[in-house]
């Protein structure tokens, strides 16, 4: 959003900074480091987490004591039936009431810990999502060149939702399972060390199963979430280019690309879930075998008189309780692997190198600014597009930038806006190196009107006001009149309060351009950049826009990028670029007389018009 504000000129840019090497990827993050770092985001909610742990511990301890209590009830009934005195109903009633109270306590503890962990997990992911959004405001523009919108949306939505879901489900289960495992083991040892030893067979089986299934589960989880990002990118691209797809009958190709991406997600998704859930099912199978062996051996000990029948019943329940957290830990580990895969993707973004801040940078003086490109070298890759490029534009002058496609026209203004950092040389505004200026300060002084319009869902009033958020409605109306936009705005059903749909599809392309021009008027910049600003309007509207542009450029240092040379005849100076360098410079008449590149472009357009 902030980047769009900068492009349209005016307003406060999102985050300052100067990017070092544009979109370098951070080094991959290890699972252990990701888990540790994820828990750091929960530090803010430490009191709630501690309270949840206490409640979980209390509930689990009640769960540990319940089988022993019920085993005592079974022993009372068995001994009462064997004796002549009968069953001690008062003692039995006391045991059953105590058990009922324990079960009620278990229910309340479970309810409270789920409720609290829901709050903790959602607040944690809220913090993460805010961090991701803030980070996207601080990364260099080149980061967006190398990452699809769909993938970034998947990071901010799918990956963070996955973390929230697994935190909520797994963390309380992990706490309960560890406490239940320890408490159950202690009680089991007091009942029968021999049967306890048999139950402990579950532990090495669990470790071995986790060791076998963890690597493939982790690998496929990473592949799944990366594929999900690609799938979102495919969908987003198809929606944005729907008209193009229809126009060229490309539905079959678009559908084939979607199916291929969807198949990859499906394949990696079921494999990730298969390996993740298999750990739990294998442990359940092992648990059932151990349960049968304990029941058989325990029955023999009861017959031999070495174990009370109530204790056998309690031990069988404890063996289930002991096996349950072991199997559950395998399931929890699978869920954690999924959360870690998402966390790693998020942390790679959060560790991406940011644009540098320029704290205490000087302000640019108001008024028309002098702009100097001094021996600038720049390239989007290892091959430089500009090499030792120099250009000087006096304050208040209009300079037109022309040249063939790929000559470096748009790159020039991108460097002036500091969307990209130059590799060598210096760019000065009023004698100040722009790398020493705060980006918001620099961009508040620069207004841009592009060939592609950037409008947002909302009213026309809000879209124009985006160039100067604190502007009054009267200032907005004045800017719209100056841009000759008010005539069509007042014809709309709600005038300035007309709601624009996504991509402003409910108004024409020319009307969208007039709104962006009104935004530039409102921002009142010292430096103005017009990049093919009239290319999407008809001839009649172009005349109106040109008149507005002439007024807008008065007393401002202006850069006009144009392919149609008819729009730049009156420029103070025309700079012809070729392969990132200045090939020719002069007025329209001088360049025509020189009979060079400019004259060739001019005559080719004249022949096309004829």
């Amino acid at each position: 959003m902030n980047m769009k504000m900068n492009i349209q000129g005016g307003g406060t840019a999102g985050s300052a900074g100067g990017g070092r090497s544009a979109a370098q990827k951070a080094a991959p993050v290890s699972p252990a480091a990701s888990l540790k770092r994820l828990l750091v985001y929960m530090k803010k909610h430490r009191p709630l987490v501690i309270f949840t742990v206490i409640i979980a511990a209390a509930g689990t301890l009640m769960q540990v004591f319940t089988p022993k209590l019920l085993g005592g009830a079974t022993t009372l009934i068995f001994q009462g039936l064997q004796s002549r005195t009968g069953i001690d109903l008062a003692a039995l009633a006391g045991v059953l009431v105590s058990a009922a109270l324990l079960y009620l306590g278990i229910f309340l503890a479970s309810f409270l810990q789920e409720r609290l962990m829901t709050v903790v997990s959602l607040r944690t992911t809220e913090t993460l999502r805010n961090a991701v959004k803030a980070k996207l405001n601080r990364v260099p523009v080149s980061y967006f060149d190398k990452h699809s919108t769909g993938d970034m949306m998947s990071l901010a939505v799918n990956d963070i939702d996955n973390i929230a879901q697994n935190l909520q489900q797994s963390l309380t289960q992990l706490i309960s399972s560890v406490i239940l495992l320890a408490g159950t083991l202690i009680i089991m040892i007091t009942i029968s060390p021999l049967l306890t030893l048999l139950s402990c067979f579950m532990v090495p089986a669990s470790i071995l199963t986790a060791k076998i299934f963890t690597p493939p589960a982790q690998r496929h989880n990473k592949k799944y979430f990366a594929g999900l990002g690609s799938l979102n990118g495919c969908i987003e691209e198809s929606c944005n280019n729907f008209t193009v797809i229809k126009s060229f009958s490309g539905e079959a190709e678009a559908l084939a690309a979607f199916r291929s991406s969807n198949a990859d997600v499906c394949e990696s998704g079921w494999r990730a879930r298969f390996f993740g859930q298999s750990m739990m099912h294998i442990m359940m199978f092992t648990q059932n075998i151990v349960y049968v062996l304990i029941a058989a051996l325990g029955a023999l000990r009861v017959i031999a008189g070495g174990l009370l029948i109530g204790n056998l019943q309690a031990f069988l329940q404890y063996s289930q309780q002991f096996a349950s957290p072991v199997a559950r830990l395998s399931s929890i580990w699978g869920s954690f692997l999924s959360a870690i895969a998402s966390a790693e993707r998020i942390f790679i973004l959060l560790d991406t190198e940011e644009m540098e801040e320029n704290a205490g940078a000087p302000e640019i003086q108001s008024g028309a600014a002098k702009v100097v490109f001094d021996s600038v070298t720049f390239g989007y890759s290892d091959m430089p597009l500009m090499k030792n490029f120099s250009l000087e534009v006096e304050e208040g002058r209009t300079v037109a930038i022309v040249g063939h496609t790929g000559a470096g026209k748009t790159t020039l203004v991108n460097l002036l806006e500091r969307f990209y950092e130059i590799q060598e040389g210096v760019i000065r505004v009023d004698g100040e190196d722009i790398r020493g200026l705060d980006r918001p300060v620099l961009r508040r002084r620069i207004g841009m009107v592009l060939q592609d319009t950037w409008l947002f869902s909302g009213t026309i009033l809000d879209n124009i006001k985006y160039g100067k958020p604190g502007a009054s409605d009267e200032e907005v109306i004045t800017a719209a009149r100056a841009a000759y936009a008010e005539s069509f705005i007042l014809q709309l059903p709600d005038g300035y309060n007309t709601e624009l749909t996504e991509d402003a599809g409910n108004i024409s392309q020319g009307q969208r351009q007039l709104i962006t021009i009104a935004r530039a008027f409102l921002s009142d910049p010292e430096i103005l950049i017009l990049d093919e600003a009239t290319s999407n309007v008809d001839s009649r509207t172009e005349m109106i826009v040109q008149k507005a542009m002439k007024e807008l450029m008065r007393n401002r240092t202006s850069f006009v990028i144009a392919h149609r040379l008819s729009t730049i005849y009156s420029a103070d100076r025309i700079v012809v670029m070729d392969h990132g360098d200045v090939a020719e410079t002069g007025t329209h008449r001088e360049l025509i007389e020189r009979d060079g590149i400019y004259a060739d472009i001019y005559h080719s357009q004249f022949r096309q018009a004829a």
Side-chain angles (χ1 to χ4, degrees):
M1 191 86 167
N2 289 336
M3 184 178 68
K4 293 176 182 177
M5 182 190 298
N6 297 335
I7 288 175
Q8 287 309 320
T12 303
S15 180
R20 291 166 226 165
S21 62
Q24 286 183 341
K25 283 188 176 181
V29 187
S30 69
S34 294
L35 179 58
K36 183 179 179 181
R37 189 169 172 183
L38 192 59
L39 294 176
V40 170
Y41 280 86
M42 300 177 67
K43 287 178 66 176
K44 182 179 177 181
H45 314 293
R46 186 180 294 175
L48 278 179
V49 174
I50 293 173
F51 189 44
T52 303
V53 171
I54 293 171
I55 291 174
T60 305
L61 288 174
M62 287 187 280
Q63 190 175 349
V64 168
F65 288 120
T66 302
K68 183 72 173 175
L69 199 62
L70 291 176
T74 302
T75 301
L76 279 174
I77 294 171
F78 182 76
Q79 291 175 344
L81 291 174
Q82 284 186 326
S83 67
R84 296 179 180 179
T85 57
I87 301 172
D88 188 348
L89 294 178
L92 181 62
V95 171
L96 294 177
V97 169
S98 298
L101 290 174
L102 283 176
Y103 278 124
L104 178 62
I106 292 169
F107 163 75
L108 292 175
S110 176
F111 174 81
L112 283 173
Q113 73 183 41
E114 285 294 332
R115 172 71 175 82
L116 290 172
M117 275 314 301
T118 299
V119 173
V120 170
S121 63
L122 290 178
R123 286 183 180 175
T124 301
T125 51
E126 179 189 22
T127 304
L128 265 177
R129 192 170 281 117
N130 286 334
V132 168
K133 182 62 177 72
K135 182 70 177 188
L136 289 173
N137 281 341
R138 296 194 300 268
V139 295
V141 174
S142 54
Y143 180 87
F144 296 90
D145 295 338
K146 298 184 179 182
H147 295 79
S148 72
T149 303
D151 187 49
M152 288 184 282
M153 289 174 63
S154 183
L155 273 172
V157 179
N158 295 333
D159 286 289
I160 291 182
D161 281 347
N162 181 56
I163 291 172
Q165 182 179 357
N166 283 294
L167 274 178
Q168 180 181 341
Q169 292 179 354
S170 301
L171 207 54
T172 53
Q173 290 183 11
L174 178 64
I175 296 167
S176 300
S177 296
V178 171
I179 297 172
L180 183 61
L181 194 66
T184 302
L185 183 62
I186 293 170
I187 300 270
M188 287 168 64
I189 290 173
T190 62
I191 295 174
S192 172
L194 178 64
L195 295 180
T196 303
L197 185 63
L198 182 58
S199 298
C200 286
F201 175 74
M202 290 287 294
V203 177
S206 234
I207 295 172
L208 181 62
T209 303
K211 189 172 182 179
I212 293 171
F213 284 90
T214 292
Q218 184 180 351
R219 183 173 64 253
H220 289 294
N221 269 310
K222 286 182 179 179
K223 188 176 179 182
Y224 171 74
F225 286 104
L228 199 59
S230 298
L231 181 63
N232 283 341
C234 180
I235 295 171
E236 188 262 344
E237 186 178 63
S238 296
C239 291
N240 285 345
N241 299 310
F242 179 77
T243 306
V244 177
I245 292 171
K246 284 291 185 182
S247 299
F248 288 90
S249 300
E251 294 91 344
E253 289 81 358
L255 186 59
F258 171 80
R259 284 175 174 168
S260 175
S261 185
N262 196 25
D264 290 341
V265 171
C266 181
E267 178 73 14
S268 58
W270 82 259
R271 288 182 184 274
R273 283 162 178 74
F274 171 77
F275 286 109
Q277 296 299 322
S278 292
M279 290 186 279
M280 182 184 68
H281 294 301
I282 290 173
M283 293 313 302
M284 288 177 66
F285 175 71
T286 309
Q287 168 192 340
N288 291 332
I289 294 175
V290 172
Y291 184 83
V292 172
L293 293 175
I294 290 172
L297 184 58
L300 292 175
R301 293 204 62 199
V302 170
I303 294 171
L307 189 67
L308 292 173
I309 189 170
N311 284 344
L312 175 60
Q313 176 205 334
F315 195 93
L316 288 172
Q317 284 185 276
Y318 281 125
S319 71
Q320 291 281 10
Q321 281 191 356
F322 182 77
S324 176
V326 172
R328 201 187 304 161
L329 284 171
S330 300
S331 175
I332 291 169
W333 183 240
S335 298
F336 266 127
L337 289 178
S338 177
I340 287 169
S342 292
E344 285 182 4
R345 279 169 44 82
I346 290 169
F347 292 143
I348 286 174
L349 166 62
L350 294 179
D351 290 337
T352 300
E353 202 162 15
E354 299 180 4
M355 297 179 292
E356 297 174 352
E357 297 285 352
N358 297 103
E363 289 274 351
I364 300 177
Q365 297 178 358
S366 59
K370 180 179 179 179
V371 179
V372 176
F373 289 77
D374 187 2
S375 302
V376 170
T377 298
F378 171 78
Y380 294 102
S381 61
D382 294 335
M383 292 294 293
L385 176 63
M386 290 182 174
K387 193 170 182 180
N388 296 322
F389 174 85
S390 296
L391 176 67
E392 185 174 319
V393 182
E394 295 294 335
E395 57 269 21
R397 296 303 182 98
T398 298
V399 173
I401 312 294
V402 300
H404 296 293
T405 300
K409 303 183 298 297
T410 301
T411 298
L412 185 146
V413 296
N414 283 340
L415 295 178
L416 179 58
E417 281 267 19
R418 287 192 69 194
F419 292 150
Y420 300 89
E421 288 296 345
I422 59 176
Q423 280 123 27
E424 293 179 20
V426 63
I427 302 175
R428 297 188 182 90
V429 174
D430 283 337
E432 294 285 349
D433 186 343
I434 63 171
R435 287 172 296 188
L437 297 174
D438 201 11
R439 267 190 176 81
V441 172
L442 174 66
R443 291 173 182 167
R444 276 198 297 268
R445 306 304 181 194
I446 301 175
M448 288 185 74
V449 180
L450 305 182
Q451 178 179 359
D452 297 322
T453 56
W454 293 80
L455 299 176
F456 313 110
S457 299
T459 65
I460 290 177
L461 185 76
D462 291 336
N463 269 276
I464 297 176
K465 194 178 288 188
Y466 203 68
K468 185 180 177 183
S472 65
D473 290 354
E474 289 74 18
E475 289 178 294
V476 172
I477 293 170
T478 300
R481 286 173 183 164
Y484 297 93
E486 188 177 48
S487 57
F488 87 83
I489 292 174
L490 295 179
Q491 293 175 12
L492 296 173
D494 298 313
Y496 285 93
N497 293 316
T498 300
E499 289 280 341
L500 299 180
T501 59
E502 186 178 5
D503 294 329
N506 53 335
I507 61 175
S508 72
Q509 181 67 37
Q511 290 170 337
R512 292 179 226 168
Q513 192 65 280
L514 290 174
I515 291 175
T516 63
I517 292 170
R519 181 187 296 169
F521 265 107
L522 183 64
S523 66
D524 192 23
E526 282 79 34
I527 301 172
L528 184 65
I529 298 171
L530 307 175
D531 191 350
E532 292 293 335
T534 62
S535 61
N536 289 324
V537 298
D538 57 72
S539 298
R540 181 178 177 276
T541 306
E542 182 181 358
M543 293 174 62
I544 298 173
V545 172
Q546 286 290 350
K547 186 178 179 181
M549 290 292 97
K550 187 175 181 180
E551 183 63 32
L552 179 60
M553 290 186 292
R554 182 175 296 174
N555 298 324
R556 290 185 174 91
T557 304
S558 303
F559 293 81
V560 181
I561 298 175
H563 287 291
R564 289 188 290 184
L565 302 186
S566 59
T567 62
I568 59 169
Y569 290 163
S570 60
D572 297 315
R573 185 179 173 196
I574 298 173
V575 175
V576 183
M577 294 190 66
D578 185 36
H579 296 94
D581 203 354
V582 176
E584 298 175 346
T585 181
T587 64
H588 170 72
R589 182 179 296 276
E590 290 170 350
L591 293 174
I592 290 295
E593 292 174 353
R594 190 173 299 174
D595 198 22
I597 296 175
Y598 181 84
D600 181 62
I601 297 173
Y602 173 77
H603 291 308
S604 65
Q605 290 188 7
F606 180 78
R607 286 193 296 269
Q608 288 174 4

